[in-house]
Amino acid sequence: MTNKCLVHQRSHEFICYQCNSLICSRCITGHNKDHPDHSDQCEHIDDIKHSLITLKLDDITDITITTTNNHINNDRTDNNNNNLYNSINFHSQINNKLKSLWGSLRSSTSRYQRLSTTENDIKQHFEQLHQYLIIEEHKLQRDIINDKHTITNQIDNNINHLKYLLNIINVFNKLNSNNSNNNDNSSCDDQSDIEDATSLYSTTTIMESITTSSSLQSFINHNNQTLFNEHNFKYNNYFNIDELLKQNSSDSTSLLLDIIHKYNNQFQ
């Protein structure tokens, strides 16, 4: 770009910020006539130098726009702020632009901080709501959990009742059987094929078996090698039927009554 006017061969002394043109002292009059709306956008180099000499960046603060900003919503866009600053009569366009940029930066920062504050408020609100819901969930679940615990205890207790009663029935059947020894050997042989897994005796497994059983007999048959296996003393240790039969073979009636009496003492 040449430093002189191509028409008058004079040095440029003016700049038009509107059309970004460099203009000599002879062309400025014609430029203003052709573009009357540019007249307030043209500055002489001497005015620019003076404004730069007298420029104090410390003077560019929010105070310069306080009066006008009182009538402006804080959430307006940066473009609105730029238009506001440009409408104020400063020493030069450079001063004006500096004030505009600083005001825009301050406005954007302030708006960003307000948005961050709102974001944190929302986050804290839902964190508190989440904690409240967790507490309410635990409150509602507490009675359910307690009831389920009571039910599992009741099931375990009833299963123990049932085991004892079935043992009484087994004693009675053996007392009236002539082939008790053969039956005992057969039961022992079957037990060797059963895996002694703790899960088979869990309350959950028992409830599943109860659900799928159509009758008490089918439930007993389904668990005859685990819950109701008379030879499994680890999980069915109320008494040893074989030992009782050996000790009381001569008095079966007393044995049966004694077992029933012990049952009543334990479960009633």
Side-chain angles (χ1 to χ4, degrees):
M1 178 181 292
T2 180
N3 292 327
K4 291 187 177 182
C5 174
L6 297 178
V7 177
H8 303 103
Q9 294 300 311
R10 292 190 175 192
S11 297
H12 296 130
E13 297 181 28
F14 292 87
I15 182 172
C16 176
Y17 291 103
Q18 185 70 27
C19 58
N20 197 30
S21 299
L22 297 177
I23 308 168
C24 73
S25 58
R26 291 285 303 275
C27 290
I28 188 64
T29 303
H31 180 79
N32 289 338
K33 287 182 179 180
D34 295 337
H35 306 284
D37 56 326
H38 292 193
S39 59
D40 59 345
Q41 297 294 320
C42 295
E43 282 192 344
H44 192 275
I45 185 61
D46 290 341
D47 294 330
I48 295 174
K49 289 179 180 180
H50 180 266
S51 67
L52 293 176
I53 291 173
T54 59
L55 176 64
K56 293 181 180 180
L57 297 180
D58 285 340
D59 292 338
I60 301 178
T61 64
D62 291 340
I63 298 176
T64 58
I65 58 171
T66 298
T67 303
T68 309
N69 271 352
N70 286 335
H71 305 288
I72 297 179
N73 188 288
N74 288 330
D75 292 329
R76 286 191 177 178
T77 62
D78 294 342
N79 287 335
N80 288 337
N81 287 327
N82 290 338
N83 292 333
L84 167 66
Y85 303 138
N86 289 334
S87 66
I88 303 175
N89 185 22
F90 294 105
H91 290 92
S92 73
Q93 293 292 336
I94 293 178
N95 294 62
N96 190 29
K97 192 61 179 178
L98 287 171
K99 293 176 185 291
S100 174
L101 289 173
W102 178 242
S104 178
L105 289 171
R106 293 281 293 181
S107 175
S108 297
T109 301
S110 177
R111 188 180 181 202
Y112 184 89
Q113 290 173 341
R114 290 197 304 274
L115 291 173
S116 296
T117 300
T118 302
E119 180 184 28
N120 289 332
D121 289 343
I122 293 173
K123 180 180 178 181
Q124 291 178 5
H125 171 75
F126 281 98
E127 284 179 349
Q128 293 173 357
L129 181 60
H130 180 64
Q131 291 299 321
Y132 170 78
L133 291 176
I134 290 177
I135 293 173
E136 290 301 307
E137 178 188 6
H138 289 168
K139 286 181 181 178
L140 293 174
Q141 287 184 336
R142 183 168 53 228
D143 290 340
I144 294 174
I145 292 173
N146 291 337
D147 287 346
K148 288 177 66 178
H149 183 68
T150 300
I151 290 173
T152 56
N153 287 339
Q154 184 181 26
I155 289 175
D156 290 340
N157 188 52
N158 287 340
I159 289 295
N160 289 332
H161 275 239
L162 185 57
K163 286 179 182 179
Y164 206 114
L165 290 174
L166 290 177
N167 279 339
I168 293 175
I169 294 173
N170 288 335
V171 169
F172 175 77
N173 290 336
K174 288 188 177 185
L175 289 173
N176 290 278
S177 173
N178 294 325
N179 300 315
S180 59
N181 290 332
N182 293 333
N183 291 337
D184 291 342
N185 292 335
S186 174
S187 297
C188 291
D189 292 340
D190 291 340
Q191 174 61 20
S192 62
D193 296 330
I194 299 300
E195 179 183 0
D196 186 14
T198 303
S199 62
L200 296 175
Y201 302 88
S202 69
T203 305
T204 301
T205 303
I206 292 172
M207 286 191 289
E208 291 176 355
S209 179
I210 292 172
T211 302
T212 58
S213 299
S214 59
S215 66
L216 175 59
Q217 185 61 61
S218 63
F219 174 64
I220 294 171
N221 292 341
H222 185 263
N223 298 277
N224 63 352
Q225 297 299 318
T226 53
L227 288 175
F228 307 119
N229 189 326
E230 63 186 72
H231 298 283
N232 189 344
F233 300 117
K234 179 178 180 181
Y235 294 97
N236 192 4
N237 57 357
Y238 296 113
F239 47 79
N240 188 326
I241 295 177
D242 294 333
E243 288 297 324
L244 289 175
L245 290 173
K246 289 178 182 179
Q247 295 172 8
N248 300 275
S249 59
S250 61
D251 191 359
S252 59
T253 301
S254 297
L255 172 60
L256 188 60
L257 287 175
D258 182 61
I259 294 174
I260 295 173
H261 181 260
K262 289 179 179 178
Y263 165 79
N264 290 334
N265 285 336
Q266 183 167 350
F267 293 105
Q268 293 184 2

